[in-house]
């Protein structure tokens, strides 16, 4: 079975093509109850950061004449992600909520120093975008690195290193902090 559910915001219906299937099986599939589909996409600051990073990359390719289609077409395809809701509600203003979420994400990324006023990425934006699956830990790591808190902690701990005690080594302390941030593991006492 091969099919396409349709493109969000463009298609109302999708098409399914059955190849090499018995008619009885096709009939059973078509007449059965619809299964519940649940999407897992959530609009977040990291999604916006990744989109801005990819936009910069695309603009560079466009300048080098290596982009296969115009940037206006790419912008038209990406815009619904940040402007249209992914479901309907009779009681909530979802379009307004999506707009607020997008604006919050932009302001948050700007305050964290990950984007400039014109939307271009800067500082530790690349590492935060690369660690997108670990959100919000990626943003916490970016804050710890850019503020110098992690460096200050490791400098303070460097004076407490004991030669025979592996738990006091800086690599173990750094691994402990990163483990706590990314995997919610307990920090040693």
């Amino acid at each position: 079975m091969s099919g396409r559910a349709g493109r969000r915001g463009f298609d109302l219906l999708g098409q399914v093509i059955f190849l090499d299937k018995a008619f009885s099986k096709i009939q059973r599939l078509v007449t059965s109850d619809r299964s519940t589909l649940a999407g897992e996409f959530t609009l977040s600051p990291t999604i916006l950061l990744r989109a801005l990073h990819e936009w910069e990359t695309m603009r560079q390719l466009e300048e080098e004449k290596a982009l296969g289609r115009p940037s206006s077409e790419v912008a038209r395809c990406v815009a619904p992600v940040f402007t249209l809701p992914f479901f309907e509600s009779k009681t909530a203003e979802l379009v307004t909520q999506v707009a607020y979420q997008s604006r919050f994400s932009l302001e948050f990324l700007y305050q964290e120093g990950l984007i400039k006023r014109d939307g271009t990425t800067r500082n530790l934006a690349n590492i935060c975008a690369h660690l997108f699956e670990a959100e919000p830990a990626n943003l916490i790591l970016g804050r710890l690195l850019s503020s110098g808190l992690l460096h200050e902690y490791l400098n303070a701990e460097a004076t407490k290193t004991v030669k025979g005690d592996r738990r006091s080594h800086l690599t173990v302390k750094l691994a402990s902090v990163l483990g706590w941030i990314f995997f919610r593991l307990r920090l040693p006492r």
Side-chain angles (χ1 to χ4, degrees):
M1 181 169 71
S2 175
R4 179 176 193 87
R7 298 167 296 169
R8 190 173 75 78
F10 294 102
D11 302 325
L12 295 176
L13 299 173
Q15 303 292 322
V16 176
I17 301 169
F18 295 96
L19 295 173
D20 199 28
K21 295 285 179 203
F23 182 73
S24 60
K25 182 161 185 153
I26 294 172
Q27 189 176 23
R28 193 171 60 248
L29 285 169
V30 171
T31 59
S32 66
D33 288 336
R34 291 184 292 163
S35 58
T36 304
L37 298 177
E40 294 191 23
F41 177 81
T42 54
L43 186 57
S44 69
T46 303
I47 294 291
L48 183 57
L49 184 63
R50 290 179 68 208
L52 290 171
H53 176 69
E54 289 302 319
W55 180 259
E56 282 181 48
T57 304
M58 187 207 56
R59 295 294 270 192
Q60 289 172 353
L61 290 172
E62 189 177 47
E63 288 174 7
E64 298 167 3
K65 307 279 192 241
L67 189 63
R69 53 199 235 186
S71 59
S72 59
E73 185 179 329
V74 174
R76 185 180 57 79
C77 292
V78 173
V81 173
F82 302 105
T83 57
L84 298 176
F86 281 86
F87 54 92
E88 292 182 13
S89 172
K90 293 181 175 154
T91 58
E93 284 289 325
L94 296 179
V95 174
T96 305
Q97 288 180 10
V98 171
Y100 282 144
Q101 176 65 27
S102 296
R103 181 168 178 170
F104 163 79
S105 297
L106 277 172
E107 289 177 5
F108 176 77
L109 293 172
Y110 178 73
Q111 288 176 354
E112 288 297 310
L114 297 172
I115 61 172
K116 298 177 188 173
R117 284 209 179 274
D118 64 356
T120 56
T121 58
R122 66 181 199 165
N123 296 337
L124 296 171
N126 289 342
I127 194 167
C128 290
H130 182 72
L131 296 172
F132 69 94
E133 290 179 338
E135 188 177 42
N138 61 341
L139 301 169
I140 293 169
L141 178 65
R143 168 68 72 90
L144 288 175
L145 290 173
S146 64
S147 68
L149 286 173
L150 190 58
H151 183 73
E152 288 175 21
Y153 168 74
L154 292 174
N155 278 340
E157 292 297 312
T159 60
K160 302 175 188 174
T161 302
V162 178
K163 188 173 184 177
D165 186 12
R166 188 180 73 81
R167 292 180 302 162
S168 69
H169 291 207
L170 289 182
T171 53
V172 174
K173 300 267 183 174
L174 178 61
S176 297
V177 170
L178 294 177
W180 183 79
I181 292 171
F182 287 101
F183 305 109
R184 312 298 193 272
L185 299 176
R186 263 194 189 170
L187 288 172
R189 293 179 187 210

